[in-house]
Amino acid sequence: MAKLNWLENNHYLEQETGRQYGWAAWMLWGIALIILLVPVRGSVMTQYYINAAEDTPSIIGHVVQLTPSHRGKGLRGGKGGRYDARVEIEYKGETYNVTSVGFNFTHAMYEKAIESGKVPVYLNPERPEKSVLSKGVPFLQYFATGIFTALALFLIGAGCYFMNRRVRCSYND
């Protein structure tokens, strides 16, 4: 009678395939977590702080540092450039440093702030240090956040699919 080694080899291959599906699932979940924690969380928090300052009146801040940034352009979506800023404001007897220029801080606003040494700051009353120098969130910023969120959800779903395949491979025992 012929030896049936191929049956044992087939079982081994099923186990290895299941193990590879498991690794693929965990890898996809890790990538999705990184996408959700870095670009999506950062963008959502920035949008939140800008929206919190949207309906409040502006106060005058004193420019401590305001220089064009050498960081990459990225997905800004707004009409402004990137600037490294440090502006001091006084609110309820406390002094705060504002470092966020927002999405719509233009070069004209930059030149005016450098010339006068003062800049309007849109106050976030809950967290004054998270106030911004320009209001408004462009549509492209919302769109990019949605695309990254959809990508992360797709990766989570693909990870679930691979984990399901892994489980099916182990049930064939």
Side-chain angles (χ1 to χ4, degrees):
M1 186 133 136
K3 289 187 175 183
L4 299 176
N5 288 350
W6 61 274
L7 286 175
E8 291 175 13
N9 193 24
N10 198 18
H11 179 68
Y12 171 76
L13 286 176
E14 285 178 2
Q15 285 180 333
E16 280 302 306
T17 302
R19 194 170 294 128
Q20 289 172 354
Y21 282 135
W23 278 107
W26 284 106
M27 180 100 64
L28 291 173
W29 289 336
I31 293 170
L33 183 65
I34 290 169
I35 289 173
L36 287 174
L37 286 179
V38 178
V40 172
R41 182 184 178 276
S43 180
V44 167
M45 293 304 293
T46 303
Q47 290 171 21
Y48 171 77
Y49 291 131
I50 289 173
N51 286 330
E54 192 74 27
D55 297 330
T56 60
S58 66
I59 60 174
I60 299 298
H62 300 284
V63 176
V64 175
Q65 173 194 356
L66 187 58
T67 57
S69 175
H70 299 292
R71 293 176 285 169
K73 283 284 184 193
L75 279 174
R76 295 277 303 172
K79 55 188 172 189
R82 287 191 180 254
Y83 296 94
D84 292 326
R86 201 168 107 218
V87 176
E88 284 186 353
I89 60 170
E90 191 168 317
Y91 180 67
K92 293 186 177 179
E94 299 270 336
T95 302
Y96 297 97
N97 285 320
V98 176
T99 58
S100 176
V101 294
F103 292 110
N104 294 320
F105 192 77
T106 63
H107 188 70
M109 295 166 81
Y110 163 75
E111 288 178 350
K112 187 176 178 183
I114 291 298
E115 181 180 307
S116 68
K118 297 178 181 176
V119 65
V121 176
Y122 298 96
L123 182 68
N124 180 345
E126 297 170 5
R127 295 193 58 195
E129 70 277 1
K130 296 293 183 178
S131 299
V132 292
L133 304 182
S134 66
K135 296 195 297 187
V137 179
F139 172 75
L140 184 59
Q141 191 65 33
Y142 288 116
F143 183 73
T145 303
I147 292 295
F148 278 114
T149 303
L151 175 64
L153 292 175
F154 172 77
L155 292 175
I156 290 170
C160 290
Y161 172 78
F162 282 128
M163 191 56 79
N164 187 23
R165 293 287 306 250
R166 176 185 172 269
V167 170
R168 275 194 269 162
C169 285
S170 65
Y171 280 136
N172 290 338
D173 292 340

